[in-house]
Amino acid sequence: MTTRNIHAGIPFTDDDAAIAAALENLSIPTLMLSMLHMTGDPEIIRGELKPQGLFLNEVQGYMSEEDKAEVRRLALKVICDYRDGGCKLPPPPGPELIQEMMTWLVCAEVPEEYIPMVLEEMELDGIDARQVDFSGLSEKARADFPVVVIGCGQSGLLAGIRLKEAGIPYTIIEKNPDVGGTWYENSYPGCRVDVGNHFYCYSFEPSDHWTEFFARQPELQAYFKEVMERHDIAPQVRWETEVLGTNWNEDSGTWSVNIRSANGKEEVLTARAVISAVGQLNRPKLPDIKGIDSFEGSCFHSAQWDHSVDYKGKRVAMIGAGASGFQIAPTIAPDVAELTIFQRSAQWMFPNPDYHKKVGPGVQWAIQHLPFYGRWYRFLIFWAGCDGGLESARVDPEWPNQHISISENNDFARQMFTDWITEQVAGDTELLAKVIPDYPATGKRTLQDNGSWLKALTRDNVELVRDDISHITAKGVVTADGHLTEVDIIVFATGFETSKFLFPMKVTGRDNTVLSEYWGDSPAAYLGITMPLFPNFFCMYGPGTNLASGGSLIFHSECQIRYITGCIKELIDGGYSSMVPRQEVHDEYYQRTQKELEGMVWSSKAIPHSWYKNSEGKIHVLSPWRLVDYWTWTREPDIAEYVME
Ligand code: NAP
């Protein structure tokens, strides 16, 4: 018996009217590709009806309303015929046609070098190719290789899933009482993801359930919980337990992992390998403002939102307005008496009218039932955020006025973003002067915006203050001009300790080398994963792996865990006790990464503050690499690059 490809859709018997209603919500170009799967007829995409362009978050491909209506009319017949025929699929399209479909959907050639990565990402064949095959290794050899994973956010959970599939014993240590990491901790009002959810989810998990295109925090946390339950990972997690430190034992080739549970009890676990999955935006950073402890009202960090404090009808100060503050302010503004936002730097924002839009029921139905609809939809979002953004982030050394923009493309983005801001502020020149950033576009994390931020700023009860803060008193916030803003609550939306990787754990490797001292605030790792002197210690979302120009961290995590499980397989298979990257391999990668980063917009000297930069203004958190390169480099480890002992 052959099993049905899970992406081919569940057979259905819905009536014509229900199907017609579902079609109203769909991405029309994506629907047309599903029609091709249902009929096997490539002429569907070879006629006049086609998308005219691709732009981030634009899933309709700029088709006219008439054309969309015509496609819906044709689709209804195709889908009803398919249903009436018992939902049987003709033979799948061959590789050439698949490539034609890709190119057609994104209105640009998908270069040959991308095809294997995209096909794997889409899983059209229903095969999860990112699983490393451990079947050749004996059960005993695997059982003798316990692994400790630190953190149960999206990457730690993924590590657990992959280790379980591989038959490797593992324990996940999580400081919180539940799964989700960032999506557990950040429960502030308005918290939501800003990467399209049909792509911001595991490639091997269904994506038919999202209720919003950019889901809010509770839905994201629930997603990770559900995935955890489906894979039965929870029994291997030690909740409310913190890793204090880990020590490498050369003689036994093991790590001793010191943990402390909620009741204060300390314990030592022994592991052959440690996977750090602690994230980069994990430890809240409070600003170094005088008098911060003297405030008599309630105050808390955005990532530690105090839900026992009722902000309704209160006077609130929000210090800092990056990605978090940008979501908080519009959400709380209608309910507070006054909101004063202290923002040091203005933020560039990207127009996305659909940012808060609900996913229509038709989308959920289509992902469940229409062959490969969900897979092509994933590809559509993936491709728009793939490597194009990286090129736009590259500095053109010949381009003038680098403090304004760094290339022609970048100048175009600046113009587009400026127009978007200007048209919303309509004539309020004072506000306009405060909200147009004075550094190149995309130099910091560009925020998704549907207009709610500027709308909030124009409310009578909201004030945006761009003056420096002098200090905080018992009553409120004092700016450099001596003005005191009296408030009841202060929210610090001031970001995270991003250069202190793995802080505050003490990781002690070979020769008693302590990782935090070895790194300082210039953390580095080969492929963002491995470090010399720290055998069998692997990072997920490690140094140099944050994505500032597109992609999704889940994509990166899937690359990293495949590489890490590949390393574990090599260790077990070869009977090795340890592996570390060769110093020269690590150093060459670091130099290459640094050189690349220096030529990108994020390093612009016009940006004095950004969480991308360390104390010397250098960047160690971001990846300057194309997704296709990172994917290629992490497909499997090359043990020639490692010292295997
Ligand atoms: P952030 O982007 O680092 O923003 C921190 C804010 O606090 C900035 O406005 C910063 O000003 C200000 N600030 C920091 N120290 C200050 C000081 N001493 N005095 C005055 N102002 C100070 O932090 P975040 O907003 O928490 O976001 C961090 C990252 O988390 C984002 O870039 C994103 O990657 C992720 N995130 C994502 C989402 C999402 O997916 N929707 C939501 C939230 C966060 P300057 O700009 O001048 O430094």
Side-chain angles (χ1 to χ4, degrees):
M1 193 184 86
T2 51
T3 41
R4 192 177 167 93
N5 179 338
I6 51 164
H7 304 305
I10 304 163
F12 55 94
T13 53
D14 302 64
D15 65 26
D16 294 16
I19 295 169
L23 297 183
E24 290 304 314
N25 298 141
L26 302 190
S27 156
I28 297 298
T30 313
L31 172 64
M32 289 175 74
L33 294 188
S34 182
M35 287 160 68
L36 194 159
H37 282 282
M38 283 182 262
T39 58
D41 178 8
E43 293 310 316
I44 286 176
I45 60 164
R46 290 178 183 160
E48 291 299 309
L49 293 168
K50 58 180 166 207
Q52 303 299 325
L54 176 71
F55 196 56
L56 198 56
N57 301 323
E58 165 53 59
V59 294
Q60 295 296 348
Y62 300 98
M63 287 176 84
S64 69
E65 288 309 317
E66 292 76 35
D67 283 358
K68 286 194 262 179
E70 176 62 6
V71 174
R72 284 190 198 102
R73 196 184 61 75
L74 297 169
L76 184 59
K77 170 148 183 15
V78 166
I79 297 169
C80 292
D81 288 351
Y82 171 71
R83 173 201 61 197
D84 297 342
C87 297
K88 291 204 186 74
L89 282 170
E96 271 176 32
L97 182 52
I98 292 281
Q99 195 169 353
E100 184 184 340
M101 292 161 84
M102 286 178 184
T103 298
W104 179 89
L105 185 63
V106 301
C107 306
E109 199 203 330
V110 176
E112 204 61 40
E113 65 172 324
Y114 281 85
I115 304 290
M117 172 181 80
V118 170
L119 283 178
E120 182 192 282
E121 171 67 25
M122 288 175 76
E123 253 189 46
L124 285 176
D125 53 8
I127 295 168
D128 174 6
R130 292 181 181 161
Q131 263 187 36
V132 174
D133 180 10
F134 275 70
S135 57
L137 304 183
S138 77
E139 241 174 70
K140 162 136 190 12
R142 285 182 268 170
D144 283 347
F145 203 95
V147 175
V148 165
V149 179
I150 311 172
C152 199
Q154 66 84 7
S155 57
L157 173 61
L158 174 65
I161 293 170
R162 292 312 197 196
L163 290 168
K164 185 172 181 204
E165 287 165 353
I168 302 285
Y170 66 95
T171 306
I172 304 179
I173 309 297
E174 169 54 57
K175 68 178 170 10
N176 294 324
D178 210 342
V179 64
T182 281
W183 298 116
Y184 174 84
E185 289 173 15
N186 285 269
S187 63
Y188 59 76
C191 182
R192 71 169 76 225
V193 68
D194 61 6
V195 176
N197 257 129
H198 295 91
F199 169 46
Y200 187 84
C201 54
Y202 299 118
S203 62
F204 53 88
E205 277 289 319
S207 66
D208 56 4
H209 47 85
W210 298 112
T211 64
E212 292 182 288
F213 290 101
F214 299 86
R216 281 179 272 192
Q217 178 265 339
E219 186 168 0
L220 286 155
Q221 207 255 331
Y223 167 74
F224 291 111
K225 200 168 169 102
E226 218 179 285
V227 172
M228 177 176 74
E229 278 161 13
R230 198 161 28 249
H231 292 263
D232 196 23
I233 300 299
Q236 298 310 317
V237 189
R238 301 276 298 261
W239 302 109
E240 293 185 272
T241 302
E242 201 161 352
V243 173
L244 305 173
T246 66
N247 294 283
W248 173 249
N249 314 303
E250 198 68 67
D251 294 343
S252 55
T254 56
W255 283 97
S256 298
V257 183
N258 306 311
I259 60 171
R260 183 173 56 210
S261 24
N263 61 11
K265 189 167 161 254
E266 293 192 13
E267 221 178 303
V268 179
L269 306 181
T270 301
R272 292 288 311 278
V274 172
I275 299 175
S276 163
V278 298
Q280 287 191 11
L281 299 156
N282 179 259
R283 299 283 169 172
K285 188 180 80 184
L286 288 178
D288 189 13
I289 299 175
K290 244 187 336 181
I292 195 167
D293 295 328
S294 61
F295 182 62
E296 284 174 352
S298 307
C299 65
F300 43 84
H301 188 274
S302 55
Q304 295 166 331
W305 194 272
D306 186 345
H307 291 278
S308 71
V309 175
D310 185 6
Y311 57 78
K312 293 195 177 70
K314 303 273 172 48
R315 298 165 305 169
V316 179
M318 186 174 79
I319 299 180
S324 303
F326 198 76
Q327 295 180 330
I328 294 168
T331 313
I332 66 170
D335 296 325
V336 299
E338 289 165 22
L339 173 63
T340 312
I341 303 167
F342 296 87
Q343 190 186 40
R344 190 165 59 181
S345 321
Q347 297 282 344
W348 285 112
M349 54 192 101
F350 179 91
N352 177 5
D354 293 346
Y355 189 30
H356 292 177
K357 212 167 137 189
K358 291 218 173 314
V359 173
V363 176
Q364 295 176 333
W365 182 85
I367 295 174
Q368 280 162 14
H369 299 291
L370 296 186
F372 306 101
Y373 180 91
R375 292 284 112 182
W376 284 106
Y377 193 62
R378 183 178 175 94
F379 167 63
L380 186 58
I381 304 172
F382 169 71
W383 191 255
C386 192
D387 293 333
L390 198 61
E391 274 320 298
S392 310
R394 198 176 301 284
V395 173
D396 171 359
E398 307 293 318
W399 188 254
N401 300 325
Q402 294 265 335
H403 61 289
I404 296 174
S405 55
I406 50 90
S407 68
E408 188 175 357
N409 260 348
N410 183 254
D411 202 57
F412 174 75
R414 179 189 185 91
Q415 203 48 56
M416 184 178 70
F417 297 169
T418 304
D419 290 349
W420 168 247
I421 295 172
T422 311
E423 83 201 22
Q424 293 177 71
V425 182
D428 186 341
T429 47
E430 199 184 321
L431 181 58
L432 189 64
K434 287 188 198 172
V435 294
I436 300 279
D438 57 2
Y439 55 88
T442 72
K444 297 186 181 208
R445 168 108 178 167
T446 309
L447 308 175
Q448 300 267 350
D449 179 52
N450 64 347
S452 56
W453 167 252
L454 289 166
K455 201 162 154 212
L457 296 189
T458 54
R459 291 178 63 93
D460 289 342
N461 66 337
V462 176
E463 191 187 358
L464 177 66
V465 177
R466 292 289 315 280
D467 302 329
D468 287 343
I469 296 171
S470 153
H471 60 282
I472 291 175
T473 70
K475 298 276 169 241
V477 182
V478 181
T479 38
D481 59 4
H483 178 76
L484 166 70
T485 302
E486 288 196 32
V487 291
D488 308 303
I489 300 168
I490 300 180
V491 175
F492 295 104
T494 41
F496 300 86
E497 300 281 3
T498 51
S499 284
K500 290 189 193 169
F501 263 74
L502 275 53
F503 174 80
M505 290 184 301
K506 187 173 178 195
V507 178
T508 310
R510 247 176 209 159
D511 308 328
N512 280 326
T513 313
V514 176
L515 190 56
S516 55
E517 292 162 12
Y518 172 81
W519 272 345
D521 72 350
S522 303
Y526 179 52
L527 299 170
I529 301 174
T530 53
M531 294 84 66
L533 299 180
F534 297 87
N536 303 2
F537 192 98
F538 304 99
C539 294
M540 296 184 73
Y541 194 14
T545 62
N546 190 59
L547 292 166
S549 58
S552 134
L553 288 178
I554 296 184
F555 172 84
H556 248 198
S557 295
E558 291 190 2
C559 292
Q560 288 149 12
I561 195 62
R562 166 148 80 179
Y563 185 87
I564 294 167
T565 41
C567 288
I568 292 173
K569 187 178 169 193
E570 291 290 352
L571 282 163
I572 300 176
D573 202 18
Y576 299 112
S577 66
S578 71
M579 66 189 292
V580 284
R582 294 185 180 279
Q583 189 73 48
E584 65 277 14
V585 170
H586 170 274
D587 293 354
E588 190 276 332
Y589 181 78
Y590 173 69
Q591 302 300 349
R592 197 153 42 94
T593 305
Q594 281 300 302
K595 188 156 174 287
E596 200 74 7
L597 283 164
E598 278 162 21
M600 309 301 279
V601 64
W602 316 303
S603 297
S604 166
K605 295 206 168 30
I607 303 172
H609 314 284
S610 129
W611 70 261
Y612 296 162
K613 291 184 174 179
N614 71 1
S615 57
E616 294 165 335
K618 295 232 177 241
I619 297 179
H620 290 86
V621 298
L622 298 183
S623 168
W625 304 120
R626 299 186 310 164
L627 297 184
V628 68
D629 290 328
Y630 194 71
W631 175 82
T632 306
W633 300 335
T634 52
R635 284 187 82 181
E636 55 185 357
D638 173 1
I639 61 166
E641 295 181 333
Y642 282 82
V643 180
M644 312 290 296
E645 286 182 5

